[in-house]
């Protein structure tokens, strides 16, 4: 297992590479060309520059999150092939730079959804929160305004203003797309890119839908164990795999996280590990990574990763806003650093317990 931290790149992140380098046990970053547009081919020089900046800091690029997928691919329009070709060109650029992991998602319109980006907790920290009863009262066209007002001035991943300005067009675009069509369009995309992935050894790791159920009437398909296996089986290349995100899958308490991890042995390429606290069906708050702060048994989650021999990157996922830090919601330095050291501590303890 390699402990990493997500970093949005120069000019997009309040956290610096120097700070990340000082977190004990963190050796790599998960990053991206944050200003890139879905559907465009990435520039070779920009990727090389990003890689140099990371390596000059004493870290390495452990993976890319995300190379975003154009909506025409998700919808299955005739124009999708040109965007898939651009995606393949990007994969070639990454492969030539020795970058061998890409986390992506296949969610329609919204990459993730929350009803509150800064819900206060009794200890004075704030967290991302979801309440279905609140979401049900929001006009999707006004969702961006609601989130942008509490984004601390950062551009939220998956909620880029240019794209959100076309929200009504996007909903129209997806009106005839159901779960089966979305699955077929995902299969078409993966089948097209797998030869390039296999050539360069690039592992594609799909991120589960967040939360793990349909939102605003839009279909969501990467929501639980059965659909994760379906996704893996329909394109059986070893390069086709999963980002096991405990927070996204765990938004549905029916998902048995340790069992899902064990059942996907060999197909999990990347781990996002975080904690949630459930209040009621469709109502949860994000929490500190510590087991006792939320609803997940983080020891059992990390033990499941250990038991399947997982040797890829893991990163602490969304953190609380603590100690007065102003950052992109969920992506401050302090609480994610605490999360990284906690997860590393669990991993060390599990490893030592296996050898005695």
């Amino acid at each position: 297992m390699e402990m990493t931290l997500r970093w949005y790149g120069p000019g997009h992140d309040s956290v610096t590479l120097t700070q990340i380098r000082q977190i004990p046990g963190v050796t790599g970053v998960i990053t991206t060309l944050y200003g890139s547009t879905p559907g465009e081919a990435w520039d070779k020089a920009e990727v090389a520059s990003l890689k140099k900046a990371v390596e000059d800091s004493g870290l390495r690029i452990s993976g890319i999150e995300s190379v975003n997928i154009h909506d025409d691919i998700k919808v299955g329009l005739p124009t999708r092939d040109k965007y898939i070709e651009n995606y393949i060109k990007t994969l070639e650029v990454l492969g030539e730079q020795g970058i061998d992991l890409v986390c992506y998602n296949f969610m329609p319109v919204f990459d993730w959804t929350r009803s509150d980006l800064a819900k206060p907790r009794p200890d004075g920290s704030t967290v991302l929160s979801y309440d279905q009863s609140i979401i049900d009262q929001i006009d999707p066209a006004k969702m961006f305004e609601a989130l942008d007002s509490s984004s601390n001035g950062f551009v939220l991943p998956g909620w880029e203003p240019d794209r959100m300005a076309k929200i009504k067009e996007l909903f129209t675009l997806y009106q005839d797309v159901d779960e089966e069509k979305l699955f077929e369009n995902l299969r078409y995309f993966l089948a097209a890119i797998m030869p390039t992935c296999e050539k360069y050894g690039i592992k594609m790791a799909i991120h589960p839908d967040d939360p793990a159920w349909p939102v605003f009437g839009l279909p969501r398909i990467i929501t639980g164990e059965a659909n994760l296996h379906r996704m893996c089986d329909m394109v059986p290349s070893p390069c086709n795999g999963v980002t096991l995100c405990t927070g996204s899958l765990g938004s549905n308490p029916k998902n048995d996280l340790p069992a899902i991890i064990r059942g996907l042995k060999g197909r999990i390429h990347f781990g996002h590990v975080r904690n949630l606290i459930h209040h009621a069906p469709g109502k949860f708050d994000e929490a500190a990574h510590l087991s006792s702060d939320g609803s997940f048994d983080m020891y059992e989650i990390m033990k499941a990763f250990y038991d399947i021999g997982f040797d890829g990157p893991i990163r602490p996922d969304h953190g609380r806003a603590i100690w007065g830090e102003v950052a992109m919601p969920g992506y401050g330095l302090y609480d994610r650093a605490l999360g990284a050291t906690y997860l590393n501590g669990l991993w060390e303890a599990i490893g030592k317990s296996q050898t005695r």
Side-chain angles (χ1 to χ4, degrees):
M1 183 272 290
E2 178 190 19
M3 187 56 65
T4 65
L5 208 74
R6 190 172 188 180
W7 180 63
Y8 285 97
H12 300 290
D13 205 316
S14 63
V15 182
T16 67
L17 290 171
T18 299
Q19 291 170 325
I20 295 172
R21 180 71 178 83
Q22 294 171 10
I23 304 172
V26 172
T27 58
V29 295
I30 306 296
T31 188
T32 189
L33 291 183
Y34 196 39
S36 62
T37 302
E40 71 177 0
W42 284 15
D43 180 75
K44 184 184 303 184
E46 288 187 73
V47 174
S49 176
L50 181 66
K51 182 182 179 185
K52 184 178 185 303
V54 172
E55 292 181 347
D56 285 351
S57 75
L59 297 161
R60 78 180 195 99
I61 294 181
S62 304
I64 295 294
E65 184 183 344
S66 300
V67 181
N68 289 323
I69 297 173
H70 197 277
D71 289 293
D72 289 14
I73 298 173
K74 297 178 185 179
V75 174
L77 298 182
T79 48
R80 65 182 169 180
D81 289 333
K82 71 174 182 179
Y83 293 117
I84 291 175
E85 184 59 33
N86 283 347
Y87 206 98
I88 288 171
K89 290 177 182 177
T90 296
L91 293 174
E92 290 171 342
V93 167
L94 296 175
E96 289 166 2
Q97 290 291 329
I99 298 169
D100 64 358
L101 171 69
V102 173
C103 171
Y104 71 103
N105 73 73
F106 218 72
M107 285 181 267
V109 185
F110 302 122
D111 279 11
W112 52 273
T113 311
R114 292 292 183 272
S115 54
D116 194 336
L117 299 184
K119 182 178 179 180
R121 287 168 41 115
D123 63 2
S125 65
T126 63
V127 294
L128 281 72
S129 176
Y130 187 94
D131 187 333
Q132 189 65 54
S133 66
I134 295 175
I135 295 295
D136 289 342
Q137 298 174 37
I138 296 176
D139 178 352
K142 298 179 180 178
M143 188 72 185
F144 171 72
E145 296 174 16
L147 292 182
D148 187 56
S149 63
S150 54
S151 68
N152 293 331
F154 291 89
V155 176
L156 300 172
W159 293 84
E160 293 77 12
D162 290 347
R163 190 166 176 274
M164 290 299 101
K166 303 174 182 177
I167 193 74
K168 292 182 179 179
E169 296 174 34
L170 287 171
F171 267 83
T172 300
L173 190 65
Y174 282 95
Q175 64 183 358
D176 294 324
V177 178
D178 58 14
E179 288 188 10
E180 288 304 312
K181 287 183 179 179
L182 201 57
F183 255 120
E184 172 53 28
N185 295 338
L186 174 58
R187 186 207 61 76
Y188 184 94
F189 165 72
L190 288 171
I193 68 170
M194 276 302 114
T196 303
C197 293
E198 291 168 356
K199 176 182 177 181
Y200 290 100
I202 296 173
K203 298 177 286 290
M204 295 295 296
I206 196 166
H207 189 286
D209 302 338
D210 188 9
W213 54 78
V215 177
F216 296 125
L218 296 165
R220 293 196 167 187
I221 56 175
I222 309 300
T223 54
E225 185 171 19
N227 282 5
L228 284 166
H229 282 280
R230 177 179 176 181
M231 189 281 306
C232 290
D233 292 345
M234 70 186 185
V235 181
S237 168
C239 290
N240 174 34
V242 174
T243 295
L244 199 295
C245 178
T246 62
S248 298
L249 290 171
S251 62
N252 183 349
K254 294 180 180 179
N255 283 330
D256 185 332
L257 298 173
I260 291 173
I261 293 168
R262 291 188 170 91
L264 287 168
K265 180 178 180 179
R267 301 303 285 272
I268 299 175
H269 298 323
F270 183 25
H272 289 183
V273 182
R274 60 182 166 92
N275 202 354
L276 301 177
I277 182 166
H278 287 282
H279 300 294
K283 185 177 182 179
F284 61 83
D285 295 340
E286 298 188 359
H289 288 76
L290 188 71
S291 295
S292 60
D293 199 60
S295 299
F296 300 165
D297 188 329
M298 305 302 282
Y299 175 89
E300 289 299 332
I301 287 169
M302 292 300 285
K303 188 173 186 301
F305 275 108
Y306 189 95
D307 288 347
I308 64 171
F310 181 76
D311 60 0
I314 279 179
R315 69 170 178 82
D317 208 357
H318 307 160
R320 302 167 298 152
I322 61 173
W323 303 339
E325 184 178 22
V326 178
M328 183 186 296
Y331 286 100
L333 170 65
Y334 305 142
D335 204 41
R336 288 189 299 151
L338 293 175
T341 53
Y342 172 64
L343 297 177
N344 267 331
L346 287 176
W347 192 265
E348 179 181 352
I350 293 164
K352 288 182 175 179
S353 71
Q354 303 298 304
T355 58
R356 292 178 178 174

